[in-house]
Amino acid sequence: MGVVRPVVTIMTSCIDGIKRRYVLDGQHLITALQRLGMDIPYVTLYSEDLKEIIELIALLNASSKSWVLIDYIVAWKALPEKEDYKVLYNAIQTNDLTPNLTAICYGVYDSKDVSKAIKRGDYTIINKKKGDEILKNVCDIFGVLRGRNNNRAVIHDFVSTYVKWRYSVSNYKHEQFLNYVKDHSDKFLLLVATPEQTSKILLKFGK
């Protein structure tokens, strides 16, 4: 049985200044063929644009296997101009939230929109200082809710609505809101089941 797809490589000098061949897709295939003593079929692309190379890596891996969000963040943060991706990656590594929820805390995005922006390389942090504060506050809230039978869709909608609201108010009473969450922890996700319900509750804790 022959090999049905080739390894995809690229020749470039934009990584370290020396023209080299890099594997974009098929590293596991190379290892398997080497163990079997078989020839390695490959195609070669050429580019000196690092952004283009990263886009190719993301595209090829998205088609051959499903990349998770953190893979795109790691890829994009390799670009010098993608400082926001470096900030996002560090925040993910130091906080106990999913990449999606962490990313929402730093910008006014819906859950689906933030994933698309990250994958395209378009993700932007609005205000790092404000984002750091909101991220800490969201972690406090999840610390109270952890371990309960949580609905993922409701959680993402709640965080998205909460973050948008936080960016719109200057006077927020976090301790009071955290106490509210604690007092209603068993049914909190029912109370914030829709963005409208969440907004109505949040109005009590800031303006």
Side-chain angles (χ1 to χ4, degrees), residues 30-154:
I30 291 175
T31 302
L33 293 176
Q34 286 174 335
R35 288 179 178 175
L36 294 170
M38 297 175 64
D39 292 336
I40 301 172
Y42 65 88
V43 296
T44 302
L45 306 175
Y46 299 87
S47 177
E48 295 299 330
D49 185 333
L50 184 57
K51 181 177 180 180
E52 181 180 56
I53 292 171
I54 289 175
E55 289 175 337
L56 282 170
I57 293 172
L59 178 62
L60 287 166
N61 279 278
S63 63
S64 63
K65 68 175 183 177
S66 182
W67 260 18
V68 294
L69 207 57
I70 191 67
D71 293 322
Y72 289 94
I73 295 168
V74 170
W76 283 114
K77 81 180 182 71
L79 292 176
E81 68 269 25
K82 295 295 183 180
E83 185 63 33
D84 286 353
Y85 280 81
K86 297 183 183 71
V87 172
L88 177 58
Y89 178 80
N90 290 335
I92 292 167
Q93 297 304 306
T94 54
N95 292 278
D96 191 22
L97 289 180
T98 66
N100 190 292
L101 291 177
T102 303
I104 290 173
C105 290
Y106 283 100
V108 183
Y109 291 96
D110 292 324
S111 182
K112 291 182 179 179
D113 291 339
V114 75
S115 295
K116 291 178 181 177
I118 287 172
K119 291 176 181 179
R120 290 194 308 262
D122 295 334
Y123 177 75
T124 302
I125 290 176
I126 295 176
N127 182 322
K128 182 182 181 302
K129 183 177 180 180
K130 183 79 170 180
D132 287 341
E133 178 186 339
I134 292 174
L135 178 60
K136 181 181 182 304
N137 294 161
V138 171
C139 287
D140 290 342
I141 295 167
F142 274 75
V144 175
L145 299 176
R146 186 173 290 111
R148 290 173 171 76
N149 184 20
N150 293 331
N151 183 305
R152 181 180 178 185
V154 172

Side-chain angles (χ1 to χ4, degrees), residues 177-188:
F177 183 63
L178 194 60
N179 287 332
Y180 177 87
V181 177
K182 291 176 181 177
D183 292 341
H184 301 82
S185 58
D186 290 337
K187 58 180 180 179
F188 181 74

